[in-house]
Amino acid sequence: MNQQLEGNAETKRRVCVVLVDRANYGRLKPVLRAVTERPQLQLQLIAAGTMVLERFGHPVQNVKNDGFVVDGEIYIELEGSTPATMAKSLGFAVVEFASEFQRLKPDIVVLIGDRYEALAAALAAAYMNICIAHIQGGEVSGSIDESARHAISKFAHYHFPSTARSASYLERMGEAPKSILGVGCPSSDIARVLESTITSDVINNLGSGPKIDISQPFLLVVFHPTTTSYGGERQQVEGILEALAKLQMQTIMLWPNIDAGADHISKAIRMFRDRLAPTWLRTLTNLSPEHYLELLARVSCAVGNSSSFVRDAGYFGTPVVLVGDRQEGRETDEHVTHVAPIASQISRGLRKQLKHGRYESSTLYGDGLVAERIADGLVSLKPYIQKRLHYIYEEDNRHEYARAWDHHRTRRVEGHLAEEHRAAAR
Amino acid sequence: MNQQLEGNAETKRRVCVVLVDRANYGRLKPVLRAVTERPQLQLQLIAAGTMVLERFGHPVQNVKNDGFVVDGEIYIELEGSTPATMAKSLGFAVVEFASEFQRLKPDIVVLIGDRYEALAAALAAAYMNICIAHIQGGEVSGSIDESARHAISKFAHYHFPSTARSASYLERMGEAPKSILGVGCPSSDIARVLESTITSDVINNLGSGPKIDISQPFLLVVFHPTTTSYGGERQQVEGILEALAKLQMQTIMLWPNIDAGADHISKAIRMFRDRLAPTWLRTLTNLSPEHYLELLARVSCAVGNSSSFVRDAGYFGTPVVLVGDRQEGRETDEHVTHVAPIASQISRGLRKQLKHGRYESSTLYGDGLVAERIADGLVSLKPYIQKRLHYIYEEDNRHEYARAWDHHRTRRVEGHLAEEHRAAAR
Amino acid sequence: MNQQLEGNAETKRRVCVVLVDRANYGRLKPVLRAVTERPQLQLQLIAAGTMVLERFGHPVQNVKNDGFVVDGEIYIELEGSTPATMAKSLGFAVVEFASEFQRLKPDIVVLIGDRYEALAAALAAAYMNICIAHIQGGEVSGSIDESARHAISKFAHYHFPSTARSASYLERMGEAPKSILGVGCPSSDIARVLESTITSDVINNLGSGPKIDISQPFLLVVFHPTTTSYGGERQQVEGILEALAKLQMQTIMLWPNIDAGADHISKAIRMFRDRLAPTWLRTLTNLSPEHYLELLARVSCAVGNSSSFVRDAGYFGTPVVLVGDRQEGRETDEHVTHVAPIASQISRGLRKQLKHGRYESSTLYGDGLVAERIADGLVSLKPYIQKRLHYIYEEDNRHEYARAWDHHRTRRVEGHLAEEHRAAAR
Amino acid sequence: MNQQLEGNAETKRRVCVVLVDRANYGRLKPVLRAVTERPQLQLQLIAAGTMVLERFGHPVQNVKNDGFVVDGEIYIELEGSTPATMAKSLGFAVVEFASEFQRLKPDIVVLIGDRYEALAAALAAAYMNICIAHIQGGEVSGSIDESARHAISKFAHYHFPSTARSASYLERMGEAPKSILGVGCPSSDIARVLESTITSDVINNLGSGPKIDISQPFLLVVFHPTTTSYGGERQQVEGILEALAKLQMQTIMLWPNIDAGADHISKAIRMFRDRLAPTWLRTLTNLSPEHYLELLARVSCAVGNSSSFVRDAGYFGTPVVLVGDRQEGRETDEHVTHVAPIASQISRGLRKQLKHGRYESSTLYGDGLVAERIADGLVSLKPYIQKRLHYIYEEDNRHEYARAWDHHRTRRVEGHLAEEHRAAAR
């Protein structure tokens, strides 16, 4: 049990942070530290999703190694990696989060991002009348994550968006302005103080494939499936591999996450490796948040569709070839080149970025001082349950709605029914 | 198996309508008819939630009696009626809807309203890349339904809102204007053509308690729990019963739905009845949609917090005493008097409404010609999967976001860190 | 959290007792007391199934009122009361028990009886390598409980059967003789020391219907569905009600449990009551274990198919009309008359038993000193995991098996293949 | 949908065969053929568990390639490979099988073996009142499979045991003699008619690692976790790898199944391979049933704990080094050498078996003509639901039970309570 439970636990605000994958932990680590340092807060930690899976490197162990107490570990991933299993994992996750929340009785649940595991936690908390704070709301992207993110916002009672645009979008979506507590992604905090301690040995003691010399130029590839185009992911990753094979530059590739289609990507990588035994490709399962960011800070070019290529790579000025539409619509800075998931386009993008070299640092996604602000917000916010679309608290303009109604109806109704409808309308 | 599967089933668009309670069916019946009449559409029907439960009058039987083929009946309600069981039922429902969708392979899933069962169907469909059309989005109310409704909108690809304000709100929330297909609630269609065939016998052959003479003045009471104030529902329903007991007017009361807290309401009613054996109170479990609306059209005053008291009662001009905050924020017409769930206030509201008598008919929630428009929409809409917050397709105004950022940060950061933050910001 | 967790909790053996319905608690209460009195044991209590449901009188409250700490309350009943929902509730229960066991980390799980909730707990514990002790194994009955009971035995590591025949049957089934720890049902312990404190008021303040005067002769009816004849239960309970209506003797009837078919039984009772308003029939939801047994000790005749009519009624010498085949095969003493679920037979049985009056007390199911023996057993048993069918530790008689093989094959194989098979056999 | 549904499907007996892993299909393929050839039977096929997982080679594709129609594919494996996830997968599987059975409405469900997925199917079918036929009941082994197997027998209405001893054990366990329909494992049918068509290319086009020349001596290794000794599996597989490394003979190793502990085994293999890059070790995920058996027929020695090493290897006379206690208690012929999971013992076993060479063919587990007998049994058996422990239909010997009771009680009760108990007993 969490040591913080002792002492004057009764009076502390119980803040339950949910971690559902390696990337979550990478971003939230500064927040966890900041929460534990606040005497008014008691940290509760739930590790779920791929955090607890050996197949994904058992990242929960990193959390424990860093000295955090993990209050609940839950297993929610149904094997299969199809859209149907993804839906069922979501359903199962709601059940399991409900059990944990019933046990831990948090005052606030803190979620980050847009994964279905986070959505499941939001649903469980909301239906159990627990106040929710959400980090990274209001962003725009592709895949089903786009809808999941906004749905989480609709259940969240407080928001910590990462960019000014996101904050603005949340307000436009009807979230109460007072519920939006500051701006910035906490991963910028790690980036800000990052010391480069990583060595080639760290990389070469993990994963499989030929050794990598990180003192020489190398590439980093992370490519996840895009659920909304399930079935196309194999061809897409083969496009990346073809472009890489042409370049023959030493490359570190991380295995994909667990979304629908991931098994197809993994299979394509394994087949490529078994067929061609590439001397330049090393595959890894899991890295600590710091080591991942150190790699990202140092790599010649990052290739793929991880959202960290948009956020964190910008802070480092690392060139990125962003492949496909998984991040479509997300705010990016100039370090990013968008390409379609086709070998020729990826090659062209790679050549362009390698020629350009590093970019200036961008603080679009945070100034490196975010976690303290979030922790302060968690201390000062007032938990409440009943949300309402904020529009109703603004000036009433019923007259205008009536015109809009006419507009809508007119636009849609054609032919012989239209007149009748118009007559029937008030 | 659905008879419509025969013929040129291959080329028809499979429209899967999800019914999760008696009220859903009451509203969607005209839509079901209109869909079966379109040669381009093949109707698939799933009955879930309380639709299939004997304890709730087994309303799926009404659907079959009306000649519809039910393709799937699923059981998703975990007993307990607590916030935690409600969350778990939601999770379980996602699993079960995923199984049904995998089997029925619909092209479009049609959902109505804001219940967790409908949200579960939306989640399953969305993660399985199935296009979703949602009826009654954009409204505002109390309880967790408020968040569930907007979350469903965030997963829905097309919208059939009931009012002009709702349509406008959906646009403001970032839904694409082209995805909003007309305005109006289909329950107005039933109301428009309703013939009054109901007799006292219909009522007195159902439920339990003393007989009701519907040719004389009577009241209709429907009171559901408000999840977000779980624990208070018992006192609230006792307030209603106390007000009714003072009035001693003959009353038909429907048992509550299955949301968290419902068991407390049922218990309070049963205890009241056992203790006082009121000669004026008859309790019912289930009515056909038409009979329910006929009662609502005829009743002297409706008391409680059903959303049909806002929508359908308005069309009939039936006076309503709206109790508590479950419908808070929803557009209402002048037939509604809001009161707090306290006996004295309810009594005052009842006296006022009984004195006033009937109101003029309102078409705020539809003109009675809605179902045809929805069916036309289902024929003409183009299924798609990848949604995106519509804001990004509008003019970019990054400069303004930057100012907003400053604003947010300034508002939240105080003390010695503020200067540093400002310096660090771009 | 359980107070017993304090002190030298580390060294105590954690005994997790699972209660899944009112009857479970009725039987296990003396065991719970005996366990708490053993310094070597730490009691953990899980209340599941109908124990936590308001609709069933929330019996977990009785447990708490008696001073026990309940460590986990889990909701596992999917509404519907059909064979499919019963199967799914079982599945869901396995998931939920696994969560609880992971949290409570018991050394031994103690189960009683043959309900699917107990089976679910057995499955979760067994697959999680937790030692299981089972009470009431080796009995024979009807319904699916028959198979569930023996399946639990096959997962249980230790057995506390209720009768000598049950103990013998467990050995014959291949359970290790040393794993069978004594004989007797702990409900006899309550029966042995029962003081009759119940008054008519206790009954008349619960449930609904006309008042009962327990100083005058009355009947007690408990009739549960028999899953294996799902669909027939309505006609059966109507048979009972018809026989009772003929007799017009004051009657206390308990609502059925939650098994598939229960909703049909409840509906039949409600319809009977609404139609005939019987002046002799009172229905109850929940009684404390002691009050239930006091009624059973005092009633003129018990009618129905509860297993307590076989066990506990025998101890009291209460006449029983055992209806249908739910208890078929179970050891009964002479106080029981078996009848088919037909009104005429039930009437005949009732007349016979009312004429006979009380029987001599039977200790077939226990001598009233059982709980202490069970608690001693829980202290002294040695937890282990790997079971094996005990037969293999007996003398090998392979030769005989070979003959049996011939026998089997010959019996089944006919026609032209038979000779070939015989030739092919060793 | 299954083509067999057409024609006079109404009158056919629907036989639903459940396949939960590659090995299931390997054994049941002759039965599937025999069922499709019977005009009285209509085959329904459900593929579940690892059958549908890409990570396990997607074996359901083999089934389809062989011309069978698969009526349902269900995903039931929760990732994690811990005892708790195994329990939860079991629970989830019950839910999913119930959905499929509700849809397919089989007259008989046919199950094989002792995996938790098969147990889940048995539970769903039994609680849904569907008749169950079970293949391979009555055997004895280690791990939790031992209990699962006997629990399935307790739910099964008909039995097709593989050996004479198993048939005898089923009778002793209380199964009705008439419900035991013949003897023999259908995998012997494949073995009987096996033609060796496998080439080195088949092997070398699958999996990863150095090429194998199957015209030269080679080893086959299959090592699954033993759930009941969860946590020890890593050390055990390292023992095997150490023994193999000493021998340096070319070796084909199959990845383990999905039971709790499997991830530890996989990790140990991957680490061994990454660390030592053995030139003699090829790892495979999936083989067709025939190719697997051809390998088994041809291999110099099989090493590990697969039950096929006991059954099928015996038919071929292939030497086996059986490692650990997963098969403890199972009938084996002389081709098997049992060793502890320690490198030195495994080495010794390997040397002994390689020196001995092939054994005579054994028909202990079947004569190669089993599938026809099973199909005949499925035609002629009479479905029923209500089982009862068969002992009660034998002569009653209550007197003896009473003595047994004394015996049990005396054995357990010591000290000051013993006298009192003895006095209290009848």
Side-chain angles (χ1 to χ4, degrees), chain C residues 281-297:
Chain C
L281 179 64
R282 185 165 193 88
T283 53
L284 296 189
T285 296
N286 188 26
L287 280 170
S288 73
E290 286 83 0
H291 283 160
Y292 174 76
L293 287 178
E294 289 176 34
L295 272 194
L296 190 59

Side-chain angles (χ1 to χ4, degrees), chain A residues 285-302:
Chain A
T285 297
N286 188 28
L287 279 170
S288 73
E290 286 83 1
H291 282 160
Y292 175 75
L293 288 178
E294 290 175 34
L295 270 195
L296 190 59
R298 181 190 283 245
V299 73
S300 302
C301 180

Side-chain angles (χ1 to χ4, degrees), chain A residues 134-138 159-163 166-167 170 180-185:
Chain A
H134 182 222
I135 301 172
Q136 292 184 350
H159 310 272
F160 296 104
S162 291
T163 70
S166 309
L170 285 169
I180 302 170
L181 307 176
V183 167
C185 181

